[in-house]
Structure formats: C-alpha cells, structure tokens
Amino acid sequence: MTAKKLFDMIKQHHPTMAGVEIVDLINEGSDEFCKRSEIFKQSYSQDTTAGQRYYTIDGQIFKILSVTLNEVAIPRLIGEINIDDDEIEGETGDLASTYDLGAPAVASNERYWYEDLGRIAIVEKKLDAIKRNDVVSNYQSVSIVGLLRLRTISAPTHITTDTVTSADILSGVPGNFARFIGDYCIAEGYRKPAAMNPQQADYFEMRFEKAIKTAKKQARARYITTGRIAPVDF
C-alpha cells in the first residue's frame, strides 16, 4: 500500500488532523507493528577496520538475527570479556594510547559478535591475546578489514511529508498489513481531545492488535507452507 493511500484513509476519519501529525503517526504505527510482529527483516552492511571492536547499530534495528563477516557466519558470544578495547570518541594523548589497543599482530578465524550499548562488537578468540594488570583475555578485536553484514528485524525507513506521495508502506512484506497501520493511526486520533471517541478507538485498536498476531504467526512460519504427497498411477 502506498503511503498516500494510507494518509488519505486516515484523513477520512480525522479531516482536521495536520499532515505532519498523520505522517508521525504512520511512522509510529509502522515501528510498533514491525517491532511486535517481527515481520520486517532487513540486511545492513558496513566494512570492519582492523583493530576496531565496536560498530554503531542503525537506529531502525530492533533485533539482530545473524551476522556474517566476508559472507562467513559468525556465532554470538556467550559470556563476558574481561578486557575491553573501546574506541571512545574524544580520547587524546596518554589516555588514548594507554587503553585503546592497536590492530592485532596475529589474526584468528574463530570470530564472535556481541551487543554493547547500541553497538555490535566483533572479536577473535586467541589464547593469551591481551594482558593487562595481571588479567589475561583470550579475545582480541577483529584483525581484518572485511564486509560485516547483519540480518535483522527492523523498521522500514520513515516517511516524511515530502515522500508521502511516492513511498510504499511495508514494501516487500507478503500480505496487506499496511492498512492495519492505518488502524493504529485512526485509533490514536480518536483518543485525542479534538476527536475523542473511546468506542471507535477501541475498535480500531482491536483490529491493529489482531493484525499483529496474524503477522507474528506469518513471520515465525517464514512464509513456508506444508503439503501432502499423494500417490498417482500413470
């Protein structure tokens, strides 16, 4: 469904609502629907830097499903690392040289990832990789430059008042779930003082909640259908 069609549908119920407010509600409803149903999956990629452990995670990402480096899958790290290698922005002088580690001299192909403070960390396992203050860590920051790819559950790119006439809502997702984002927006509109109607708000919210359950089932099934093989005589 196009954003313009969704916009017009909401406008029919709330003709006095400003265009900017409708666009904000569409984005809010889209985020809520995708986060709870986990139906919108997207890949993000960036290059790693030798010796850099942490990389910023896009704000549209809700959950990381899998990670590859140079198209090779790497597992999630279980447990904690006792020596960090955090490239804190703004560090200069002795502080930076004392705590930030350089690129590892020896590479390891046994790699893992983990999340920390809205970032993803890529490490390599290597015996006695780092020693500091009589503490030994068997993990070092990634030692190579490569293509890091994340498969995620995320939210679509937000629309704006400038793109509402050309954008699509939930593009690529099987099923006409976009119209239920309109139900979210309509319900929210009926909870505002200018158009207060609790009964209508509850009705459209119920439709939205039902759609989330349906979408969640579809997302978990991974769009795979099953069948039965019947014998045939030729």
Side-chain angles (χ1 to χ4, degrees), residues 42 44 46 55-62 118-119 150 154-155:
Q42 196 162 225
Y44 292 82
Q46 61 178 303
Y55 302 86
T56 302
I57 297 176
D58 191 283
Q60 296 295 99
I61 294 175
F62 299 131
R119 303 170 300 175
L150 314 180
S154 56

Side-chain angles (χ1 to χ4, degrees), residues 201-228:
D202 289 345
Y203 169 74
F204 284 102
E205 183 179 6
M206 179 187 65
R207 284 167 51 94
F208 179 72
E209 293 294 332
K210 186 176 180 180
I212 287 178
K213 292 180 180 179
T214 301
K216 187 179 294 185
K217 290 179 182 178
Q218 182 169 307
R220 288 177 178 174
R222 297 183 180 180
Y223 320 127
I224 297 176
T225 57
T226 59
R228 180 173 61 90

Side-chain angles (χ1 to χ4, degrees), residues 64-106:
I64 297 175
L65 299 175
S66 61
V67 178
T68 63
L69 182 61
N70 289 339
E71 307 302 337
V72 177
I74 56 178
R76 184 167 190 158
L77 180 69
I78 305 299
E80 297 183 352
I81 293 179
N82 54 0
I83 298 180
D84 206 353
D85 182 16
D86 200 344
E87 303 82 4
I88 300 174
E89 292 185 8
E91 284 188 350
T92 57
D94 293 338
L95 187 63
S97 61
T98 300
Y99 295 103
D100 289 349
L101 304 172
V106 180

Side-chain angles (χ1 to χ4, degrees), residues 78 133 180:
I78 305 299
N133 297 340
F180 297 108

Side-chain angles (χ1 to χ4, degrees), residues 105-216:
V106 180
S108 168
N109 288 326
E110 189 176 352
R111 299 187 174 95
Y112 299 88
W113 67 274
Y114 63 91
E115 290 184 69
D116 178 82
L117 302 175
R119 303 170 300 175
I120 184 170
I122 308 297
V123 294
E124 300 175 349
K125 188 170 185 179
K126 182 178 177 296
L127 187 64
D128 296 342
I130 306 171
K131 296 180 180 180
R132 180 182 292 163
N133 297 340
D134 296 326
V135 177
V136 178
S137 174
N138 293 327
Y139 294 94
Q140 64 186 17
S141 298
V142 62
S143 61
I144 64 170
V145 175
L147 178 63
L148 180 66
R149 193 186 306 277
L150 314 180
R151 182 173 176 267
T152 72
I153 292 171
S154 56
T157 302
H158 284 176
I159 64 170
T160 66
T161 52
D162 293 329
T163 62
V164 71
T165 57
S166 57
D168 288 324
I169 304 298
L170 297 185
S171 177
V173 175
N176 187 20
F177 289 110
R179 61 194 175 97
F180 297 108
I181 294 174
D183 291 336
Y184 174 92
C185 302
I186 294 168
E188 289 298 306
Y190 280 126
R191 297 193 190 282
K192 297 180 181 296
M196 181 65 70
N197 190 326
Q199 185 176 359
Q200 285 283 66
D202 289 345
Y203 169 74
F204 284 102
E205 183 179 6
M206 179 187 65
R207 284 167 51 94
F208 179 72
E209 293 294 332
K210 186 176 180 180
I212 287 178
K213 292 180 180 179
T214 301
K216 187 179 294 185

